Amino acid sequence: MSPSRFKLCFAGLLSLVGVAAVDNIATGNTTADTTHLQTWWHDHGEINYKTPVSAENVRQSHLYSVWVKSTADSTNTYYNSFVYETIPRNGQEKVVIPGSSITGGPYDSVTIEASLWMTMGWTQFLHNEDAWVKISRGDNSTTARDVVIRPTNLNLTVTDDGEGNIYILVPYREQGLRFSVEFKDNLYSYRDSCETPLCDFVQDWHSDGPHYVETLDETTNPVMGEEPHDALLIFASPFPSSDLIPDKTATDTYVVYPGPVPDLGSIKNSVVYFTPGTYYMTATAHAKLSSSVNWVYLASGAYVKGAIQFTTAATTIKATGHGVLSGEQYVYQANTLLGYTNVKSNIASLRMWSGYSKSGVQQTFVITGVTTNAPPFNSIDFSGDLDTISINQWDYKQVGAFFGQTDGTTLYSGSNVHDIFYHSNDDTIKTYGSNILVRDVVIWKGKTAPIVQFGWQSRDLANITVDGVDVVHMKYSSNTSHPSIVGANQVYGVDETWTNTADLSKTVRDMYIGNVRAEGIGGNLLRICPLANYQNVVIENVSLDRVSPRTNGIYQSEMPVFKNWLGKSVDIKGFVIRGFTVGGEKITQKAGNYGPDALGGLNIADELLQSGSVVIE
Ligand SMILES: *[C@@H]1O[C@H](CO)[C@@H](O)[C@H](O)[C@H]1NC(C)=O
Ligand SMILES: *[C@@H]1O[C@H](CO)[C@@H](O)[C@H](O)[C@H]1NC(C)=O
Ligand SMILES: *[C@@H]1O[C@H](CO)[C@@H](O)[C@H](O)[C@H]1NC(C)=O
Ligand SMILES: *[C@@H]1O[C@H](CO)[C@@H](O)[C@H](O)[C@H]1NC(C)=O
Ligand SMILES: *[C@@H]1O[C@H](CO)[C@@H](O)[C@H](O)[C@H]1NC(C)=O
Ligand SMILES: *[C@@H]1O[C@H](CO)[C@@H](O)[C@H](O)[C@H]1NC(C)=O
């Protein structure tokens, strides 16, 4: 028996104590590439949670190590699975000009997070049988009872080995699983600064840091959210079907190899294939693809620092593979018309994924498998004819959305979205078109804007379903930006008090938002500025675990009456809130617990309730 063989057996014996099978631990960062499991590793991992990592390196978790074992593997081997890490602002100050030391850029929503060294880690693997995930926190020992998995209703089995490691049984599901692993000794309570609606978070860790207060006080600094200090997300995906993997050897495939990304703007191929490894585009460039390219593939283990812009008129545009597209090199709001500087422009600020929708041609953007990290702005947007583009998105992950305007995906008419994880700091499920279906989304929500958004202008919308949303965290600090599950904001750029801005020629009809579970402390049910008529809008089975304290208005839902400029009110019919609960208590008109001062906190215009236009049952 060789020494290493002996070590394997010894490790196996030890683990007998906690888990049933005799396990082997693969040595030397060995990854799995079997018929049941694929994991991967980066040789260029850099452990550094404070500053930007070198261009050719991938930030690696400074705390967590993860191994995965397929229950179908007769050798019982645990294989390494690389744990990525992302940090607020990529460890930089508020840089205005990329690469310069000129800081002091505009408010970017990162207030105390950077000074507290918040981190978010994740790992991703592919499997087709149940798998055990083993997690170690180095010197910090963990027992199963110190761990919470969110969404909690996944009911995953967690065990430990008495040696400080925990094990999670991840059932195989064809839609994959995306969850957060949280350790009781690693939680941070975000406290607010004062009792007015404009407040932000405060901290007592660094006296020379931002928003410092010497003593946090329960009354004036209430807890507004609780999150892991060092998040760990597990993304378990099925193996992709063959139509999602391009032929690497085909002449039509342009294969990119690790290092600086070459110019992809004049190639003649239709497929761009990123092999495993690290790529970078720098802070002042992104890939504007030639119009021949309709498919970008990020292989498992590809980590591309950059952003992708399609220019093709193809009817199907694809982004597939289980690699990562990371915006970490860019400054906030990187303005592509102004040298990628931090100057906000809803037109020119860089999107991680973008394209131009050709007028008159129905196009679909299929995006699946990939993880988008550290977006500097909205992450997915098209320009051009927005009536002829739809999004087909599943098994998609967004992480590291620490900056302010880091929306989820803009959903145009005909979009179909399911089995997603969004860490987002702004409007997240953006139902801006008709015939949209959204199912089974896990959301980790930052400070700004509601989770489901369908406002900012008067819209004609019909046939929208959002069914199955698990909100694992919400972290609202202020009342100023619709801290809600469901929101329809006022006209973009005007004050919310301008209630004469509705357009009565438009109607929102047949909208269903249901089965939304929000864990922990968070925002309110809804803030709706009805800029159009509403017909048959149903909000069903939304549960809020705990609402925030009453001092700053965040807990309160608002639905006033809006009128057109001539003073004529919008017509609202069949707006139903059904099965809404707060802390397990059902909120209804009959029970009398719905009002602004009651548990439900619903400040809905009296005339809407009295006329039966809005019903709470
Ligand atoms: C495994 O990864 C660790 C951390 O990146 C590194 O220090 C070590 O050298 C690697 N071991 C092998 C055998 O590659
Ligand atoms: C988890 O357990 C709860 C309570 O027993 C149950 O209501 C729920 O359906 C379970 N969820 C799953 C996904 O099995
Ligand atoms: C152990 O936990 C503490 C508290 O969360 C953390 O500060 C420290 O970095 C952890 N160390 C390791 C090795 O996990
Ligand atoms: C409603 O939207 C769904 C999902 O996009 C679609 O399948 C269905 O055909 C639409 N119904 C109508 C009547 O257009
Ligand atoms: C809403 O919740 C109730 C009570 O839990 C349940 O009976 C009903 O089926 C749910 N509705 C939907 C559409 O899932
Ligand atoms: C919170 O904001 C809403 C507007 O969305 C406003 O109607 C309400 O009065 C505000 N609450 C407080 C306490 O300022």
Side-chain angles (χ1 to χ4, degrees), residues 467 512 514-515 540-541 578-579:
D467 190 359
Y512 176 86
N515 301 308
E540 183 172 47
N541 289 359
R578 181 183 300 138

Side-chain angles (χ1 to χ4, degrees), residues 166-182:
I166 60 148
Y167 300 78
I168 302 166
L169 181 60
V170 180
Y172 169 71
R173 305 194 314 172
E174 64 183 21
Q175 63 274 42
L177 264 179
R178 292 143 293 272
F179 58 89
S180 167
V181 182
E182 310 189 350

Side-chain angles (χ1 to χ4, degrees), residues 49 62-64 136-141 185-187 229-230:
Y49 63 95
H62 71 293
L63 289 179
Y64 304 115
S136 154
R137 294 198 295 164
D139 297 338
N140 282 359
S141 135
D185 64 355
N186 186 250
L187 300 177
H229 186 280
D230 301 285

Side-chain angles (χ1 to χ4, degrees), residues 237-310:
S237 300
F239 285 96
S241 52
S242 56
D243 58 318
L244 299 174
I245 307 169
D247 178 358
K248 189 178 166 193
T249 60
T251 50
D252 203 23
T253 300
Y254 183 94
V255 180
V256 199
Y257 294 97
V261 176
D263 175 26
L264 301 171
S266 48
I267 60 174
K268 301 276 185 288
N269 315 59
S270 65
V271 178
V272 171
Y273 189 123
F274 287 89
T275 57
T278 318
Y279 301 79
Y280 46 94
M281 300 184 188
T282 78
T284 53
H286 74 280
K288 188 172 173 184
L289 303 172
S290 109
S291 62
S292 62
V293 179
N294 55 37
W295 189 354
V296 170
Y297 179 71
L298 307 180
S300 298
Y303 190 93
V304 181
K305 299 178 187 179
I308 304 276
Q309 180 182 355
F310 291 95

Side-chain angles (χ1 to χ4, degrees), residues 24 49 72-73 210 213 216 225 246 277 291 338 346 362 417 435 510 514 566:
N24 290 323
Y49 63 95
D73 177 359
V213 291
L216 292 168
S291 62
L338 295 172
N346 283 328
Q362 180 58 45
V417 170
N435 303 319
D510 303 329
L566 292 169

